[in-house]
Amino acid sequence: MNAIASLALAAAAVSLSAPVFAQFANPQDAIKHRQSTLKEMQQNFARVAGMANGRFPFDAAEAAEKSQKAADLIKLPWTGFGPGTEGGKAKPEIWKEQAKFKELADASIAEMGKLAAVAKTGNLDSIKASVGTTGASCKACHDAFRN
Ligand code: ASC
């Protein structure tokens, strides 16, 4: 076998045996990914929630834009919870109760998607209701899986 062929074979073997967090350079990068995407999502959601509870003046266009950003961002953190990435504020239960974790993550994705749709209507009462159910879905996951 020539040098290039054996190099290619070695590279293939490494990628086949690499852990699932291999889309990140190391577990720390996976943790950084989930924390930064969740933080940016939260900042968008908090602005909408603040409008819903009267802390900020209601701006329908901003609420629609930030709700959509939150709905897009909430899809991203989950690849950062792969095997071998325990740490941060994540409880070890995440890796022992994968079905429950996925269920709660999916519920948050669904609720935030509904909020984005509702916010496009510009109806503040509907936004208030949807912020409530969305926030409850954030809390359900935090209560079970975040220290
Ligand atoms: C937020 C935030 C959360 C949720 C949750 C709702 O704004 O940071 O974690 O809403 O507190 O109960």
Side-chain angles (χ1 to χ4, degrees):
M1 198 189 310
N2 67 34
I4 290 175
S6 56
L7 211 71
L9 206 68
V14 166
S15 73
L16 282 175
S17 64
V20 177
F21 67 71
Q23 68 178 116
F24 303 101
N26 52 58
Q28 212 48 48
D29 279 5
I31 293 172
K32 238 185 277 172
H33 167 79
R34 67 202 192 210
Q35 289 181 339
S36 59
T37 51
L38 282 164
K39 180 168 188 184
E40 185 157 358
M41 181 281 294
Q42 192 277 336
Q43 287 172 334
N44 282 280
F45 175 70
R47 185 76 195 170
V48 181
M51 289 185 209
N53 65 33
R55 257 186 302 130
F56 307 122
F58 178 56
D59 177 326
E62 189 192 356
E65 185 213 323
K66 296 219 153 75
S67 296
Q68 187 58 57
K69 277 194 184 150
D72 292 338
L73 286 162
I74 193 60
K75 295 175 182 168
L76 303 182
W78 316 110
T79 57
F81 290 93
T85 65
E86 287 87 345
K89 290 190 193 174
K91 284 189 182 167
E93 280 77 6
I94 289 172
W95 290 271
K96 294 173 196 146
E97 300 169 27
Q98 290 269 287
K100 185 180 173 191
F101 182 62
K102 185 175 186 331
E103 190 182 305
L104 292 176
D106 286 347
S108 284
I109 292 170
E111 289 303 330
M112 239 161 254
K114 284 191 238 169
L115 174 60
V118 161
K120 286 183 178 70
T121 70
N123 183 302
L124 183 55
D125 285 335
S126 307
I127 293 171
K128 283 180 187 173
S130 188
V131 160
T133 53
T134 302
S137 78
C138 301
K139 186 176 187 300
C141 199
H142 291 162
D143 287 351
F145 292 120
R146 185 179 70 168
N147 283 316

